[in-house]
Amino acid sequence: MRLHRLDLTAFGPFGASHSVDFDALSAAGLFLLHGPTGAGKTSVLDAVCYALYGSVPGARLGTNLRSDHAAPGTRTSVTLELTVAGRRLEITRQPPWERPKKRGAGTTLDKAQTWLREHRSGAWKDLSRSHQEIGEEITQLLGMSREQFCQVVLLPQGDFARFLRADAEARGKLLGRLFDTQRFADVEKRLAERRRTTQAGVHEGDAALLADAHRMQQAAGDAMELPELTPGEPGLAEAVLSAAAVARSTAREQLTIAHCRLAAAESAQAAADRALEDVRENARLQRRFAEARERALLLQERSDDHRADTERMERGRKAEAVAPALELRDSAEAEHRRAAAAEAHARALLPDTFADAGAPGLAAAARRAAEELGGLESARRAEQRLADLVAERAGLDRQERADEDVLAEADTWLAEWDTVRAALQARIDAAQEAATRAEQLAVQREPARRRLDAAVRRDRLATEAAAAQQQALASADHAVRARTHWLDLKEQRLNGIAAELAANLRDGEACAVCGATEHPAPARRVDGHVDRDTEERALAASQRAEETRAQDERRLGGLREELAAATAEAGDAPTARLTEEAEELERRYTLARSEASGLHPAHEELRRAEAEHRRRTDARQEAALRSASRAARRDALDRERTALEGELTEARGALDSVAARAAQLERQTVLLDAAAEAARAAEDAAQRLKDADARLADAAFRAGFDTPQAAAGALLDDAAHRTLQRRLDAWQTEEAAVRAVLAEADTAAAAQRPPADLVGAEQAAADAARRVREAASARDAADRRRTELDRLSRHAAAGVRKLAPLREEYDRVARLAALTAGTAADNERKMRLESYVLAARLEQVAAAATVRLRRMSSGRYTLVHSDDRSGRGRSGLGLHVVDAWTGRERDTSTLSGGETFFASLALALGLADVVTDEAGGVRLDTLFIDEGFGSLDDQTLDEVLDVLDSLRERDRSVGIVSHVPDLRRRVHAQLEVVKGRSGSTLRQRGH
């Protein structure tokens, strides 16, 4: 990579545009970049880094790139022309810029921009404007990150001096950034995470196994002892499985014992049950014999009653032969009484003229009444017709009166029809006119409301704009005063910066400016000195004032824009007048809407009135037609009524109506028929009673009874017969059962034995059953214990088998993690994997640096890599220097200030070579070395410059960043940075 040209504008301390011609500076091989402290030497290198990577080195990464000295309209820009990988490129970058608005007050933010061009065929051609694409392209061409570029191309000697004195941890961080060994650190981290993950899985599995072991201990009672191990300890699974096997064996032995105890208890229970059955049977037989004896005594006491029942049953059987005659006589007597009562009742309903008439006379009178009733049928029909005529004539009269009312009402309503119709039509016309007026007012109403709103907004914005203008003027004045104050303080600090730097000088330590370790006459602070904190506070106050000014101007501009829009819409009319006009329009609109709302009801009312007019006209015509037809019908009905009334006067006789006369004859006919029938029935019943008395007397004599009454007294009804028969049957059954029980041999034998002890036998059987239940419960508990232990053992064994692969993986990962982390016993030097890789890189760097260090030190010093441990730290990143004059090897921290400088320079150059090779062999034709030359004597300085000058043999150019006066005489090509009140400038001279 070779730099050709650098153009920068408003960047860092440079307020204007400046250009650096690296081709002219590099012609001599060495060139010097110098200037006073704080002038901006490092900013030139920052501009190179920013052009390539879009950001500046780490310590200045978050600073503002724009120059405080730049004019408000000048945009910050950096352009770098270089050749890399055989391609000539031009990169232009512009950071984000908050510029003044082109119209109005305030500022606006422009986004960052980037251009990449390539010189081909004698012309520049655009390649890309994408930040991401350009960044990826440059990183790929250079083969290094921004951190690597800053260490390899912009050699900061202070960093490498600290690298020489640092411990292994600090060296590892720097080398890790340069050689990108993060992947090896990721391997260490991944193995550690995998170890923790698998360890957690193993611990979880062991915890589950211990939980199973605790459950087995609970199931086994005191027959199992748990191992005194924690999850993750070796041998836990084997110990738990062994204890489970012992517990299962013990549980099986206990189950066998419980089975034997249960069998013995069941045998004893069977014997007790048999003895209890024998005692119960003996007690039953004894009770049976005693009960039979008591029943025999009761039968003997009731023997007289039994004989009386037997005789009573015999007389009842004889009387049963007379029962049919008795029933016949009773039936005949009851029938005779009913017939006589019916005859007397029927005769009582007849007139006295029929009191002595017999059945034939009553029948003849009934026939005569029926004949007279048949002659009245035509008169009954005439009477019904007359009633219908009267009802119809009354209905016609009612209809006549109703039609007269309809005609009167219709005439009254129709007389007012023209007036009602004209009033309704007037309402419709007025409502229609109001609706039209409301539509016209609605069109005017909305613009008036918008104009009123705009006027109110105009008045409010005018007040706010006036206040905002006063605030903006005050903010601008305050910002000017704050910036002037900060510039004054900055100038005072720059004038006394030497005293501020001298305050940090220590004897024996290198000066940060010249690198010298001796400080004979350090500058002293004067009264009123401005320190860094005071300047930064003033700068912060100036920036806050500027931000406040910009915010106030932006707010003022926004209010003015809103005010102009509101004024354009509202005009110059006063708000009060617009309010009155809008309220008058609203009132007229509301009134018109209210009047127009009656249009639809008026239409509906007119439609209903016209329908009513048609209905009443039709009803008036129909009523007139009905009245004409009713007159003819009334005349016909009157004629027919006169004829029917003459016919009915003859048929009614003395009664009021034909129906009354017919009802009288019907009732008389029915009574006569009933009386004749009752008389005939009474005569027949008397004859049947006489015949039944004769048959009853003959049946009682043949059955052995003296009178029919005696036979009736001996007769038993069904209930008495059943009751008596049950008593006789029960006596015989009881007598037979008692004789059978007393004749049983085993019952008689049991009665001769002593009384049975049933309570004792039952107690013995209950005790035997209780012992069986206890033995069964013990057997079931032992079986459940054995089943539960078998289940838990299978679960634990399955868990051990399932956990085995994870445990093997954990052992393997743990060994690898410990090995890569440097904690394993096999890792004798306690070297991490990343440290091992970095140690190899450091060994290459030490070898490359030794080539130049030996030349700078006239062959005295050699850098060597050491992998010994330092104290309690880890090994692998040690760096020693071998002194050829003494032949001894010592730590690099023992070097003097000048020795540390050229050792760190040799280390930086060697590192640049190694990183370049690591990055794919990209050739670095331009290098920069920052400070440290003030710590060298003349001879060493010549040797160092010779080494740097030798870099030209490979067509390289080296830029030295220093303000050591002696270098200005030795190096002719120079780039000077001159600072001033309006910003720094660049001067280039010498070839």
PDB file of all heavy atoms in Angstrom, residues 256-276:
ATOM      1  N   THR A 256     -41.530 -63.124  51.947  1.00  0.00           N
ATOM      2  CA  THR A 256     -41.642 -64.574  52.163  1.00  0.00           C
ATOM      3  C   THR A 256     -42.099 -64.866  53.589  1.00  0.00           C
ATOM      4  O   THR A 256     -42.980 -65.720  53.828  1.00  0.00           O
ATOM      5  CB  THR A 256     -40.284 -65.242  51.896  1.00  0.00           C
ATOM      6  OG1 THR A 256     -39.868 -64.950  50.552  1.00  0.00           O
ATOM      7  CG2 THR A 256     -40.384 -66.745  52.062  1.00  0.00           C
ATOM      8  N   ILE A 257     -41.530 -64.173  54.562  1.00  0.00           N
ATOM      9  CA  ILE A 257     -41.936 -64.365  55.964  1.00  0.00           C
ATOM     10  C   ILE A 257     -43.402 -63.988  56.145  1.00  0.00           C
ATOM     11  O   ILE A 257     -44.154 -64.684  56.836  1.00  0.00           O
ATOM     12  CB  ILE A 257     -41.023 -63.525  56.885  1.00  0.00           C
ATOM     13  CG1 ILE A 257     -39.595 -64.047  56.816  1.00  0.00           C
ATOM     14  CG2 ILE A 257     -41.533 -63.538  58.316  1.00  0.00           C
ATOM     15  CD1 ILE A 257     -38.574 -63.174  57.521  1.00  0.00           C
ATOM     16  N   ALA A 258     -43.829 -62.903  55.528  1.00  0.00           N
ATOM     17  CA  ALA A 258     -45.225 -62.477  55.656  1.00  0.00           C
ATOM     18  C   ALA A 258     -46.174 -63.499  55.056  1.00  0.00           C
ATOM     19  O   ALA A 258     -47.268 -63.738  55.582  1.00  0.00           O
ATOM     20  CB  ALA A 258     -45.402 -61.120  54.986  1.00  0.00           C
ATOM     21  N   HIS A 259     -45.790 -64.133  53.928  1.00  0.00           N
ATOM     22  CA  HIS A 259     -46.617 -65.207  53.323  1.00  0.00           C
ATOM     23  C   HIS A 259     -46.783 -66.359  54.297  1.00  0.00           C
ATOM     24  O   HIS A 259     -47.902 -66.899  54.470  1.00  0.00           O
ATOM     25  CB  HIS A 259     -45.969 -65.674  52.028  1.00  0.00           C
ATOM     26  CG  HIS A 259     -46.356 -64.859  50.829  1.00  0.00           C
ATOM     27  ND1 HIS A 259     -47.646 -64.732  50.389  1.00  0.00           N
ATOM     28  CD2 HIS A 259     -45.604 -64.110  49.973  1.00  0.00           C
ATOM     29  CE1 HIS A 259     -47.693 -63.958  49.329  1.00  0.00           C
ATOM     30  NE2 HIS A 259     -46.461 -63.553  49.055  1.00  0.00           N
ATOM     31  N   CYS A 260     -45.713 -66.785  54.957  1.00  0.00           N
ATOM     32  CA  CYS A 260     -45.786 -67.921  55.909  1.00  0.00           C
ATOM     33  C   CYS A 260     -46.695 -67.569  57.084  1.00  0.00           C
ATOM     34  O   CYS A 260     -47.519 -68.396  57.518  1.00  0.00           O
ATOM     35  CB  CYS A 260     -44.383 -68.274  56.401  1.00  0.00           C
ATOM     36  SG  CYS A 260     -43.295 -68.903  55.100  1.00  0.00           S
ATOM     37  N   ARG A 261     -46.572 -66.374  57.620  1.00  0.00           N
ATOM     38  CA  ARG A 261     -47.417 -65.968  58.738  1.00  0.00           C
ATOM     39  C   ARG A 261     -48.888 -65.918  58.325  1.00  0.00           C
ATOM     40  O   ARG A 261     -49.774 -66.311  59.101  1.00  0.00           O
ATOM     41  CB  ARG A 261     -46.974 -64.613  59.251  1.00  0.00           C
ATOM     42  CG  ARG A 261     -45.628 -64.647  59.973  1.00  0.00           C
ATOM     43  CD  ARG A 261     -45.222 -63.252  60.395  1.00  0.00           C
ATOM     44  NE  ARG A 261     -43.934 -63.288  61.116  1.00  0.00           N
ATOM     45  CZ  ARG A 261     -43.256 -62.199  61.492  1.00  0.00           C
ATOM     46  NH1 ARG A 261     -43.750 -60.985  61.216  1.00  0.00           N
ATOM     47  NH2 ARG A 261     -42.111 -62.307  62.156  1.00  0.00           N
ATOM     48  N   LEU A 262     -49.169 -65.487  57.133  1.00  0.00           N
ATOM     49  CA  LEU A 262     -50.541 -65.434  56.663  1.00  0.00           C
ATOM     50  C   LEU A 262     -51.129 -66.838  56.512  1.00  0.00           C
ATOM     51  O   LEU A 262     -52.286 -67.080  56.871  1.00  0.00           O
ATOM     52  CB  LEU A 262     -50.601 -64.685  55.335  1.00  0.00           C
ATOM     53  CG  LEU A 262     -51.975 -64.582  54.676  1.00  0.00           C
ATOM     54  CD1 LEU A 262     -52.957 -63.850  55.599  1.00  0.00           C
ATOM     55  CD2 LEU A 262     -51.883 -63.854  53.336  1.00  0.00           C
ATOM     56  N   ALA A 263     -50.352 -67.799  56.002  1.00  0.00           N
ATOM     57  CA  ALA A 263     -50.853 -69.174  55.847  1.00  0.00           C
ATOM     58  C   ALA A 263     -51.204 -69.783  57.203  1.00  0.00           C
ATOM     59  O   ALA A 263     -52.244 -70.439  57.369  1.00  0.00           O
ATOM     60  CB  ALA A 263     -49.812 -70.027  55.129  1.00  0.00           C
ATOM     61  N   ALA A 264     -50.344 -69.573  58.223  1.00  0.00           N
ATOM     62  CA  ALA A 264     -50.621 -70.108  59.558  1.00  0.00           C
ATOM     63  C   ALA A 264     -51.876 -69.475  60.142  1.00  0.00           C
ATOM     64  O   ALA A 264     -52.718 -70.159  60.747  1.00  0.00           O
ATOM     65  CB  ALA A 264     -49.418 -69.867  60.469  1.00  0.00           C
ATOM     66  N   ALA A 265     -52.034 -68.178  59.987  1.00  0.00           N
ATOM     67  CA  ALA A 265     -53.213 -67.500  60.512  1.00  0.00           C
ATOM     68  C   ALA A 265     -54.479 -67.967  59.814  1.00  0.00           C
ATOM     69  O   ALA A 265     -55.533 -68.126  60.456  1.00  0.00           O
ATOM     70  CB  ALA A 265     -53.042 -66.002  60.357  1.00  0.00           C
ATOM     71  N   GLU A 266     -54.416 -68.232  58.514  1.00  0.00           N
ATOM     72  CA  GLU A 266     -55.605 -68.708  57.788  1.00  0.00           C
ATOM     73  C   GLU A 266     -55.999 -70.113  58.254  1.00  0.00           C
ATOM     74  O   GLU A 266     -57.191 -70.430  58.373  1.00  0.00           O
ATOM     75  CB  GLU A 266     -55.331 -68.692  56.289  1.00  0.00           C
ATOM     76  CG  GLU A 266     -55.265 -67.289  55.699  1.00  0.00           C
ATOM     77  CD  GLU A 266     -54.871 -67.301  54.233  1.00  0.00           C
ATOM     78  OE1 GLU A 266     -54.385 -68.366  53.772  1.00  0.00           O
ATOM     79  OE2 GLU A 266     -55.020 -66.250  53.556  1.00  0.00           O
ATOM     80  N   SER A 267     -55.026 -70.996  58.550  1.00  0.00           N
ATOM     81  CA  SER A 267     -55.347 -72.352  59.068  1.00  0.00           C
ATOM     82  C   SER A 267     -56.030 -72.260  60.422  1.00  0.00           C
ATOM     83  O   SER A 267     -57.039 -72.946  60.683  1.00  0.00           O
ATOM     84  CB  SER A 267     -54.062 -73.172  59.180  1.00  0.00           C
ATOM     85  OG  SER A 267     -53.453 -73.325  57.911  1.00  0.00           O
ATOM     86  N   ALA A 268     -55.513 -71.401  61.311  1.00  0.00           N
ATOM     87  CA  ALA A 268     -56.135 -71.234  62.627  1.00  0.00           C
ATOM     88  C   ALA A 268     -57.539 -70.671  62.492  1.00  0.00           C
ATOM     89  O   ALA A 268     -58.458 -71.057  63.236  1.00  0.00           O
ATOM     90  CB  ALA A 268     -55.264 -70.307  63.483  1.00  0.00           C
ATOM     91  N   GLN A 269     -57.753 -69.781  61.546  1.00  0.00           N
ATOM     92  CA  GLN A 269     -59.093 -69.224  61.343  1.00  0.00           C
ATOM     93  C   GLN A 269     -60.062 -70.284  60.856  1.00  0.00           C
ATOM     94  O   GLN A 269     -61.219 -70.328  61.277  1.00  0.00           O
ATOM     95  CB  GLN A 269     -59.018 -68.065  60.351  1.00  0.00           C
ATOM     96  CG  GLN A 269     -60.375 -67.378  60.141  1.00  0.00           C
ATOM     97  CD  GLN A 269     -60.366 -66.379  59.003  1.00  0.00           C
ATOM     98  OE1 GLN A 269     -59.496 -66.478  58.150  1.00  0.00           O
ATOM     99  NE2 GLN A 269     -61.303 -65.441  59.006  1.00  0.00           N
ATOM    100  N   ALA A 270     -59.616 -71.164  59.957  1.00  0.00           N
ATOM    101  CA  ALA A 270     -60.500 -72.231  59.465  1.00  0.00           C
ATOM    102  C   ALA A 270     -60.950 -73.140  60.602  1.00  0.00           C
ATOM    103  O   ALA A 270     -62.133 -73.508  60.699  1.00  0.00           O
ATOM    104  CB  ALA A 270     -59.787 -73.028  58.375  1.00  0.00           C
ATOM    105  N   ALA A 271     -60.028 -73.499  61.515  1.00  0.00           N
ATOM    106  CA  ALA A 271     -60.392 -74.357  62.655  1.00  0.00           C
ATOM    107  C   ALA A 271     -61.380 -73.650  63.568  1.00  0.00           C
ATOM    108  O   ALA A 271     -62.369 -74.247  64.043  1.00  0.00           O
ATOM    109  CB  ALA A 271     -59.132 -74.737  63.434  1.00  0.00           C
ATOM    110  N   ALA A 272     -61.157 -72.344  63.844  1.00  0.00           N
ATOM    111  CA  ALA A 272     -62.077 -71.595  64.696  1.00  0.00           C
ATOM    112  C   ALA A 272     -63.444 -71.462  64.044  1.00  0.00           C
ATOM    113  O   ALA A 272     -64.481 -71.517  64.730  1.00  0.00           O
ATOM    114  CB  ALA A 272     -61.494 -70.207  64.979  1.00  0.00           C
ATOM    115  N   ASP A 273     -63.512 -71.276  62.714  1.00  0.00           N
ATOM    116  CA  ASP A 273     -64.793 -71.186  62.014  1.00  0.00           C
ATOM    117  C   ASP A 273     -65.562 -72.498  62.106  1.00  0.00           C
ATOM    118  O   ASP A 273     -66.790 -72.508  62.291  1.00  0.00           O
ATOM    119  CB  ASP A 273     -64.569 -70.796  60.553  1.00  0.00           C
ATOM    120  CG  ASP A 273     -64.104 -69.356  60.418  1.00  0.00           C
ATOM    121  OD1 ASP A 273     -64.265 -68.592  61.377  1.00  0.00           O
ATOM    122  OD2 ASP A 273     -63.561 -68.995  59.336  1.00  0.00           O
ATOM    123  N   ARG A 274     -64.860 -73.649  61.975  1.00  0.00           N
ATOM    124  CA  ARG A 274     -65.543 -74.946  62.086  1.00  0.00           C
ATOM    125  C   ARG A 274     -66.098 -75.158  63.493  1.00  0.00           C
ATOM    126  O   ARG A 274     -67.244 -75.607  63.670  1.00  0.00           O
ATOM    127  CB  ARG A 274     -64.573 -76.063  61.733  1.00  0.00           C
ATOM    128  CG  ARG A 274     -64.240 -76.128  60.246  1.00  0.00           C
ATOM    129  CD  ARG A 274     -63.545 -77.435  59.893  1.00  0.00           C
ATOM    130  NE  ARG A 274     -62.257 -77.562  60.570  1.00  0.00           N
ATOM    131  CZ  ARG A 274     -61.103 -77.096  60.091  1.00  0.00           C
ATOM    132  NH1 ARG A 274     -61.087 -76.456  58.912  1.00  0.00           N
ATOM    133  NH2 ARG A 274     -59.982 -77.270  60.761  1.00  0.00           N
ATOM    134  N   ALA A 275     -65.323 -74.804  64.491  1.00  0.00           N
ATOM    135  CA  ALA A 275     -65.814 -74.942  65.873  1.00  0.00           C
ATOM    136  C   ALA A 275     -67.019 -74.041  66.104  1.00  0.00           C
ATOM    137  O   ALA A 275     -67.994 -74.430  66.779  1.00  0.00           O
ATOM    138  CB  ALA A 275     -64.696 -74.597  66.862  1.00  0.00           C
ATOM    139  N   LEU A 276     -67.019 -72.817  65.584  1.00  0.00           N
ATOM    140  CA  LEU A 276     -68.135 -71.906  65.733  1.00  0.00           C
ATOM    141  C   LEU A 276     -69.387 -72.456  65.059  1.00  0.00           C
ATOM    142  O   LEU A 276     -70.497 -72.355  65.606  1.00  0.00           O
ATOM    143  CB  LEU A 276     -67.762 -70.542  65.143  1.00  0.00           C
ATOM    144  CG  LEU A 276     -68.857 -69.482  65.156  1.00  0.00           C
ATOM    145  CD1 LEU A 276     -69.287 -69.185  66.593  1.00  0.00           C
ATOM    146  CD2 LEU A 276     -68.386 -68.205  64.470  1.00  0.00           C
TER     147      LEU A 276
END
